[in-house]
Amino acid sequence: MKKYIDTGKILNTHGIKGDIKVDSWCDSVEVFCTLKRLYIEKKGEYTEYRVTKAVRFKEYVLVHLEGVDTFEEANLLKNKVVYALREDIPMEEGDYFIADLEGLPVINIDTGKVYGKIAEVIFGAASDIYRIKTENGEAYMPAVPEFVIEVDTEKGVYIRPIEGMFDEI
């Protein structure tokens, strides 16, 4: 499991005192605002930044990072992905990280048949969509309770597909 979870992207600067505007990739902007430290990766190394301010700004977050106090310093961080330590992100019982789904087998809960592995989770308008890499190509499945019965980040994603969902593979 990944130690660092990507939690957003720095879109722009905000003002002249080093604040940045971040697009939150967390479940909500409020979850992002609880983070006390963020990390930026460069060549496999993660640099820690203490968060001194994080407030909602429309659908984004305005953040001030300790040590980033000028427009010029903030501008150097533009378009960077920000990460948090897995243990710093508040989670409720039964929650999981999307990063933990990628590579998991997709298994029919009734028959045990393995259809393939999750290659990607796509954020759809109505629901997330799993792109499943199979032996014969790819399949797409909505990640809704009607199909996804159980998610076990150690063993796999257990599903109950409808007739025809995987006929082509």
Side-chain angles (χ1 to χ4, degrees):
M1 292 190 179
K2 291 181 180 179
K3 179 178 178 180
Y4 297 95
I5 304 295
D6 46 341
T7 55
K9 183 175 183 180
I10 300 171
L11 300 175
N12 211 339
T13 60
H14 185 82
I16 60 170
K17 295 184 179 181
D19 289 351
I20 52 177
K21 183 167 89 171
V22 178
D23 180 22
S24 169
W25 296 345
C26 294
D27 284 347
S28 70
V29 169
E30 289 73 24
V31 168
F32 189 97
C33 288
T34 67
L35 300 174
K36 301 298 180 208
R37 54 189 175 166
L38 295 171
Y39 298 81
I40 296 176
E41 184 268 335
K42 184 176 181 181
K43 297 182 182 176
E45 297 290 321
Y46 291 82
T47 302
E48 180 181 328
Y49 292 88
R50 194 171 78 75
V51 176
T52 60
K53 177 181 84 173
V55 295
R56 180 184 196 104
F57 177 70
K58 300 180 183 177
E59 68 267 21
Y60 303 105
V61 185
L62 294 183
V63 178
H64 189 86
L65 302 174
E66 186 174 76
V68 180
D69 298 315
T70 67
F71 168 82
E72 292 77 18
E73 291 169 330
N75 198 44
L76 292 174
L77 300 177
K78 214 161 121 174
N79 297 315
K80 302 273 188 203
V81 173
V82 290
Y83 299 84
L85 287 174
R86 172 182 292 277
E87 61 265 19
D88 288 348
I89 301 172
M91 304 270 297
E92 293 188 23
E93 184 70 30
D95 286 350
Y96 49 84
F97 294 109
I98 292 200
D100 295 339
L101 296 179
E102 294 173 356
L104 284 179
V106 177
I107 306 163
N108 186 310
I109 195 161
D110 298 317
T111 67
K113 178 178 180 174
V114 177
Y115 295 105
K117 293 186 177 187
I118 295 180
E120 177 184 19
V121 177
I122 301 165
F123 304 107
S127 70
D128 291 347
I129 298 168
Y130 295 159
R131 181 172 63 88
I132 303 164
K133 180 79 173 135
T134 68
E135 288 181 3
N136 301 319
E138 294 181 338
Y140 294 85
M141 184 188 82
V144 295
E146 292 81 5
F147 303 133
V148 180
I149 308 304
E150 179 184 349
V151 174
D152 182 329
T153 57
E154 299 294 321
K155 297 178 183 173
V157 177
Y158 294 90
I159 67 167
R160 185 168 287 128
I162 58 173
E163 190 174 326
M165 185 176 278
F166 289 99
D167 284 352
E168 304 81 42
I169 60 172

